[in-house]
Amino acid sequence: MFQPSQTRPRSQRARGVAIGSVSAVIALALSLGGPAPAHAEAPPGAAGAPYAGMPAMAPIGVRPDRYLQLPQGAAGPPIDAAKGYRLQDLGRGLYLVTDNAYQSMFLVHETGVVVVDAPPAYSKRLRQAIAEVTDRPVTHIVYSHAHIDHIGGASDLGGKPILVAHDETKRLLLRAKDPRRPIPTVTFKDRYVLKAGGQTLELSYRGVAHQPGNIFIWAPEQKTLMVVDVVFPGWMPWRRFALAQDVPGYFQQVAEIDEIPFETFVGGHVGRVGTHADVRAQRAFMVDLKAAASAALQSTAPGAEIDPDDRTNPWAVFDNYIDRVAAKCVNALTPTWRTRLAAFDVYIWDQCYAMEQSLRID
């Protein structure tokens, strides 16, 4: 059970400030004044009384006694504990490998295997997964993007495969100098068609969303699309739109994914593949989130719940304002979405913070 909001202390939160907006918020706070809470007995900086209308969903930094039960159909089929992964046939030589948290693919062709991503979570068992299907060598590895949690096991596959990635991914990996993520040997700017025997993967770059260099990977014969860290079938996206570096770009890519005529979607995370219904559910949530954050920004009065002594501290004024904006956003979304997306309670505060930030500065 979640603790009642009246007994939940205020948490420490990550702060992000748009300097151009801070002065306006502070000026409005000083002009409006408003009721201020009485001085608390606790020392300055300690958790104080909860904000008015604090949501029942535990905020960042506060441990709930239990998380919400996962909706039916969110979790994938069980993993064989002895193997540590699950293999799923996607058709015509294409296979999904997952530990129900991370996902990768491999494509079998006449003389070898093309691997798409090698998450270190199970990379040492990827060869075993491939061996369930074929004894052919790994000839290519495609990097979806540069993040270590998706490609940090590339060196575990052995051999000397051709490494394919976007130009931006190569740039980021040259900067990282990480031996676990070997530098790509083939790169491209906009599009690249990877042909291996009779198999084809079409790689394309649609701009910055999650990270520069994050690509769309389309298997036309299998009608399977893989885009990592953008859509999370059946689940709340990872915190702050999966740490998207361009939130408007993230919104655009979710829409573009829905326009592609895939039959199977691989998102790089969670325990199952996705459908267009999953993409549309995430899009609907994002539309509601944007509307809720926008309404909260417009209806929240700066300086309404802050000690007068703190009104000369611009960071404190802005933190107080944004915390209350996020609380309104969470309250607006909870009735509709708490049972529709798995882990809604885990990351709803993160999404509201990310959305209000993007609306103010993007």
Side-chain angles (χ1 to χ4, degrees), residues 146-163:
H147 282 157
I148 192 170
D149 63 323
H150 289 278
I151 66 168
S155 58
D156 291 333
L157 295 178
K160 294 183 178 180
I162 298 168
L163 306 175

Side-chain angles (χ1 to χ4, degrees), residues 239-298:
R239 66 188 334 138
R240 305 193 182 215
F241 302 117
L243 305 179
Q245 295 187 28
D246 182 341
V247 172
Y250 178 92
F251 272 65
Q252 179 61 35
Q253 285 196 5
V254 174
E256 289 177 357
I257 287 169
D258 198 28
E259 295 170 359
I260 296 173
F262 66 82
E263 294 179 359
T264 303
F265 177 80
V266 177
H269 282 289
V270 309
R272 65 172 178 84
V273 295
T275 65
H276 280 280
D278 292 316
V279 179
R280 289 164 190 164
Q282 183 170 317
R283 289 184 72 183
F285 166 73
M286 290 163 59
V287 168
D288 286 356
L289 171 64
K290 187 173 183 178
S294 178
L297 282 165
Q298 295 174 41

Side-chain angles (χ1 to χ4, degrees), residues 40-119:
E41 296 296 329
Y51 294 115
M54 190 67 177
M57 293 294 167
I60 299 168
V62 174
R63 180 182 64 83
D65 292 334
R66 288 193 63 186
Y67 291 98
L68 288 175
Q69 185 174 353
L70 297 181
Q72 187 175 4
I79 297 294
D80 183 339
K83 295 198 302 187
Y85 64 86
R86 177 172 59 83
L87 193 63
Q88 182 175 339
D89 188 346
L90 302 181
R92 201 178 176 277
L94 184 64
Y95 296 84
L96 173 83
V97 184
T98 181
D99 63 356
N100 279 1
Y102 282 88
Q103 300 173 342
S104 58
M105 299 193 307
F106 67 87
L107 181 62
V108 180
H109 59 91
E110 288 83 346
T111 59
V113 177
V114 178
V115 173
V116 184
D117 279 359

